[in-house]
Amino acid sequence: MIALAAEGRTDAAEKLEVLRRWKGGPIAALGLVLAAYALGFVVDDYWFNAILIPFLIMALAGLGLNLLTGYAGQASLGTGAFMSVGAFATYNVLLRAPDLPLPVSFVIGGLFAGLAGVVFGLPSLRIKGFYLTASTLAAQFFLPWLFNQYGWFSNYTTSGSISAPKLEFLGSDLSTPLGRYLLTLTSVVILTWLAWNLVTSQVGRNWMAIRDMDTAAAVAGIPIAFNKLASFAISSFVIGIAGALWAFAYLGTVDARSFDLDRSFTVLFIIIIGGMGSIWGAFIGSAFVILVPILISNLSATFLSGAIDAGQSENLQKILFGALIVYFLIKEPNGLAALIIKFRRRLSLWPFKS
């Protein structure tokens, strides 16, 4: 499935160039960021807990996977595992070094996730495609087992599930819904800005060259091994911070069962639907994955008067996701981001050309 999606990304460089030429891009991005901060002061707790915080965290996880799969062309199904590494590492840093500032603890958790990404990314030096997917899938089963097997990671709690410590930074309590939202939003803004600068730099161009044809990239003098492992490290770093935010800012608990294989598939669906090789495609895909289930649930409750129960609604969501994934793989491998760019291009030429 990932290999099919990779074959359809030949216009990723063109798409990136279109975004570069968009002179209003920085102003629009700044406007969106300011609007996101302002939104936090006008919505209620339901929006924080059910929509905004999970949307931002899953978008960040999708961004991390997109760096690896969309830009560097390396397949992975270990996203949930690397999220768990970030969550447990951050928890242990906060537990055993409580004097460290909260952002530093998150960064250290991300670094441990990046290290795990390098370890499980080593097979990418020899294999690719389906076999690399199977290799990263091993992380998905091994790492949660490791955290459950050895009580040190969970501070020897009997249940294996631990409550997240109180979130504080510079004397401010971030445990409130608004505080958790601002923490998540700030983390996402910083990492998205760093990711954008990365993919538009020489490193990003090296990754895309390896993705398109690694043999030609090697002939051109690009260090293949270093760039592959760097993509795993940076991607897992971002994913690890997303995992820490998922545990601390959203769930309030650190539990390996929260980062199972379904979590990895969800993040994969986000980048397929939103658009591989697209920074903002991760946000589009995350909005789709978070909002569509809520929309289906509300529509069934409003118009069908409860005729569709929770199980049927969940099955309907899976059918819809599956149908859209098949559609995008066949018709538009670059996802919703590419469709929006095409629509904007046609709109700029209308009415002279459709």
Side-chain angles (χ1 to χ4, degrees):
M1 180 171 65
I2 301 175
L4 289 174
E7 293 177 359
R9 296 194 307 267
T10 55
D11 62 337
E14 178 186 355
K15 179 171 58 177
L16 185 61
E17 188 64 28
V18 169
L19 293 178
R20 282 175 178 167
R21 291 197 300 262
W22 185 24
K23 297 180 180 180
I27 297 177
L30 179 61
L32 286 174
V33 170
L34 294 177
Y37 277 103
L39 186 63
F41 296 94
V42 297
V43 299
D44 56 20
D45 291 354
Y46 171 80
W47 274 82
F48 287 130
N49 298 323
I51 298 177
L52 295 178
I53 293 177
F55 156 71
L56 288 171
I57 298 174
M58 294 307 292
L60 184 61
L63 174 63
L65 183 60
N66 226 342
L67 292 176
L68 179 67
T69 303
Y71 286 97
Q74 306 304 304
S76 174
L77 270 180
T79 306
F82 301 135
M83 290 178 72
S84 70
V85 174
F88 276 94
T90 303
Y91 167 76
N92 279 278
V93 171
L94 289 172
L95 178 68
R96 305 174 198 286
D99 294 333
L100 286 178
L102 184 64
V104 175
S105 300
F106 274 77
V107 170
I108 294 175
L111 291 174
F112 274 102
L115 178 61
V118 171
V119 171
F120 286 94
L122 287 173
S124 68
L125 303 182
R126 294 289 183 180
I127 58 179
K128 62 178 66 176
F130 170 80
Y131 301 100
L132 180 57
T133 304
S135 174
T136 57
L137 188 61
Q140 187 60 62
F141 293 104
F142 173 74
L143 291 173
W145 171 85
L146 180 68
F147 297 138
N148 287 326
Q149 187 71 16
Y150 295 95
W152 184 87
F153 294 104
S154 57
N155 200 27
Y156 299 99
T157 56
T158 55
S159 63
S161 177
I162 46 184
S163 298
K166 187 176 181 180
L167 300 177
E168 289 183 334
F169 181 58
L170 298 179
S172 299
D173 182 13
L174 301 179
S175 299
T176 64
L178 176 60
R180 290 185 285 109
Y181 172 71
L182 294 178
L183 170 65
T184 303
L185 178 60
T186 302
S187 303
V188 171
V189 168
I190 293 174
L191 289 173
T192 301
W193 176 75
L194 292 175
W196 170 256
N197 283 276
L198 180 68
V199 299
T200 55
S201 68
Q202 184 61 48
V203 174
R205 289 189 287 272
N206 289 345
W207 287 357
M208 287 185 281
I210 294 172
R211 177 200 65 195
D212 294 336
M213 187 174 293
D214 54 357
T215 303
V219 172
I222 296 175
I224 303 298
F226 172 80
N227 278 279
K228 284 185 176 182
L229 294 181
S231 67
F232 270 97
I234 296 173
S235 166
S236 299
F237 171 80
V238 175
I239 291 172
I241 293 181
L245 290 170
W246 188 261
F248 290 89
Y250 178 55
L251 296 179
T253 61
V254 184
D255 191 339
R257 292 167 294 186
S258 303
F259 305 102
D260 55 9
L261 185 59
D262 287 343
R263 187 70 54 212
S264 296
F265 274 115
T266 300
V267 179
L268 179 61
F269 295 161
I270 284 175
I271 67 170
I272 292 176
I273 294 174
M276 288 194 182
S278 170
I279 293 292
W280 60 304
F283 292 87
I284 298 173
S286 178
F288 184 91
V289 168
I290 297 298
L291 294 178
V292 165
I294 298 175
L295 178 62
I296 293 176
S297 178
N298 290 336
L299 288 177
S300 62
T302 302
F303 296 103
L304 300 178
S305 301
I308 299 180
D309 58 27
Q312 292 174 327
S313 177
E314 184 177 354
N315 290 333
L316 181 59
Q317 296 169 23
K318 293 179 180 179
I319 293 172
L320 180 59
F321 286 148
L324 285 170
I325 289 170
V326 172
Y327 171 79
F328 286 130
L329 285 175
I330 297 175
K331 293 294 185 180
E332 187 50 79
N334 291 308
L336 292 173
L339 291 178
I340 294 175
I341 290 176
K342 289 180 180 179
F343 175 77
R344 178 178 175 271
R345 187 180 301 158
R346 291 181 179 180
L347 189 64
S348 65
L349 297 176
W350 186 86
F352 301 104
K353 184 177 180 181
S354 59

